[in-house]
Amino acid sequence: MSGDALGQDPAELRSRIDTTKAHPARVYDVFLGGKDNYPVDRNAAAAALAANPRGYLDVRHNRDFLRRAVTTLTAEDGIRQFLDIGTGLPTQENVHQIAQRITPDARVVYVDNDPVVLAHARALLTSGPEGRTDYIDADLEQPGQILEQAAKTLDLDQPVALVLVAILHFVEDAEAYPIVRGLVDALPSGSRLVLSHLTEDLNAENVRAVQRTYTERGFTFVLRSKAEVERYFTENGLVLDEPGVVPAHHWRPDGNAPVPEAADPALLATLDDIEKVRYRDINDVTDADINVYVATGVKP
């Protein structure tokens, strides 16, 4: 394990978990129907859902964009290495599962700073025998440390897809753009940037209401315009792939968004709104539902 992450003392790991403050990775887990979260995270997710009742579509379509992007880069562009920063808690269809289904020798390094993610990191290390996965316990604001540790698993002389999905809106401008520049600069020609970001361009009233619920809980939460999202690519010399920076559901839709499991009506009647999210079909999405820009780009 890079950084000996899984060798940490369980008591020390538990001491790092703050169950009094919501964490983005765990709130995201709530929306994906996960169980690795705390009441404070569920309260944050419930407040966001009350502010924007269709807001779960942002989270779920963000995740489906990741599926399509990894599939495309692996199957069509020959990418065999992924550096996924801000991984979040293990869920269905993690990056290595998608990539290794197409290219069994794909290598994936996951990075997150939430000790709850670290505690469940073994689920991210289920690589096939020909590939490899690793996990780094580090913060996005430590790009040098991330690159140093990632180099133990990835060949940084060969193309790498840098995955920054739903993480940069938690970072202020003064740090966000230099961090991305430092990471991209360290990668060779042919590397890719896979990025998603919340915006107020599309449905401002809905997403600002959500923003308020998070900032009240102490989150940094920066909504960026299309031009500001494009800047992550243009100022780093990256060439945007088609169709450019677009709402998540418009990036190369393939009709394969997951269909939810069926739920007994009697069961649904006993669930609260946040518990019902896992049973919602995301295929009924409209432009009025989505507040996430997504894009991929290549380093010439």
Side-chain angles (χ1 to χ4, degrees):
M1 278 299 300
S2 292
D4 197 30
L6 295 188
Q8 291 202 10
D9 176 69
E12 190 277 333
L13 190 56
R14 285 194 298 272
S15 73
R16 287 178 50 195
I17 299 173
D18 184 354
T19 61
T20 68
K21 183 179 180 181
H23 189 285
R26 301 194 306 258
V27 175
Y28 195 75
D29 181 63
V30 174
F31 277 110
L32 291 175
K35 302 296 184 184
D36 302 313
N37 48 73
Y38 295 94
V40 67
D41 306 304
R42 292 175 61 81
N43 290 340
L49 192 66
N52 180 17
R54 300 270 288 173
Y56 63 90
L57 289 165
D58 280 330
V59 177
R60 302 270 296 282
H61 274 278
N62 175 77
R63 189 75 191 179
D64 199 53
F65 157 70
L66 178 65
R67 175 189 64 81
R68 300 194 307 276
V70 172
T71 299
T72 299
L73 294 185
T74 308
E76 298 181 14
D77 301 311
I79 296 294
R80 284 169 165 73
Q81 303 189 108
F82 294 83
L83 177 57
D84 181 1
I85 305 178
T87 298
L89 282 145
T91 184
Q92 295 179 341
E93 294 292 89
N94 298 295
V95 170
H96 73 280
Q97 294 163 320
I98 301 166
Q100 290 180 356
R101 199 158 47 233
I102 300 165
T103 303
D105 64 351
R107 294 185 170 207
V108 179
V109 171
Y110 295 106
V111 184
D112 210 298
N113 70 337
D114 180 7
V116 175
V117 179
L118 175 59
H120 293 272
R122 290 190 189 278
L124 295 170
L125 303 179
T126 54
S127 174
E130 297 173 59
R132 187 173 171 190
T133 61
D134 212 340
Y135 180 88
I136 301 171
D137 179 30
D139 194 280
L140 176 62
E141 297 174 9
Q142 303 167 312
Q145 177 186 340
I146 289 171
L147 290 164
E148 179 183 356
Q149 296 291 336
K152 297 178 181 179
T153 301
L154 306 179
D155 180 353
L156 299 186
D157 291 326
Q158 297 297 319
V160 175
L162 171 63
V163 180
L164 298 173
V165 167
I167 184 172
L168 290 169
H169 41 250
F170 297 115
V171 186
E172 298 286 1
D173 284 355
E175 298 172 310
Y177 291 103
I179 286 169
V180 176
R181 185 180 311 117
L183 290 166
V184 170
D185 283 351
L187 302 180
S189 174
S191 292
R192 287 303 214 286
L193 174 60
V194 179
L195 185 147
S196 70
H197 202 296
L198 281 166
T199 182
E200 60 184 347
D201 284 2
L202 304 173
N203 301 289
E205 184 177 349
N206 288 349
V207 77
R208 285 174 186 157
V210 172
Q211 181 186 40
R212 284 192 296 273
T213 71
Y214 286 140
T215 55
E216 287 168 359
R217 288 163 172 78
F219 288 10
T220 297
F221 205 82
V222 184
L223 303 171
R224 293 189 172 98
S225 68
K226 183 175 182 178
E228 290 169 325
V229 173
E230 287 177 342
R231 182 181 159 195
Y232 287 115
F233 295 86
T234 56
E235 78 169 21
N236 292 308
L238 301 175
V239 178
L240 280 163
D241 298 320
E242 291 295 332
V245 175
V246 296
H249 60 310
H250 288 310
W251 195 92
R252 305 190 191 186
D254 61 4
N256 291 321
V259 176
E261 59 184 291
D264 182 272
L267 170 64
L268 284 177
T270 69
L271 303 180
D272 61 27
D273 288 344
I274 199 66
E275 291 171 324
K276 291 176 182 176
V277 163
R278 65 182 299 176
Y279 300 104
R280 303 294 190 201
D281 188 354
I282 69 170
N283 293 286
D284 64 349
V285 66
T286 71
D287 288 349
D289 295 320
I290 297 297
N291 303 284
V292 180
Y293 278 135
V294 305
T296 68
V298 61
K299 184 172 181 178

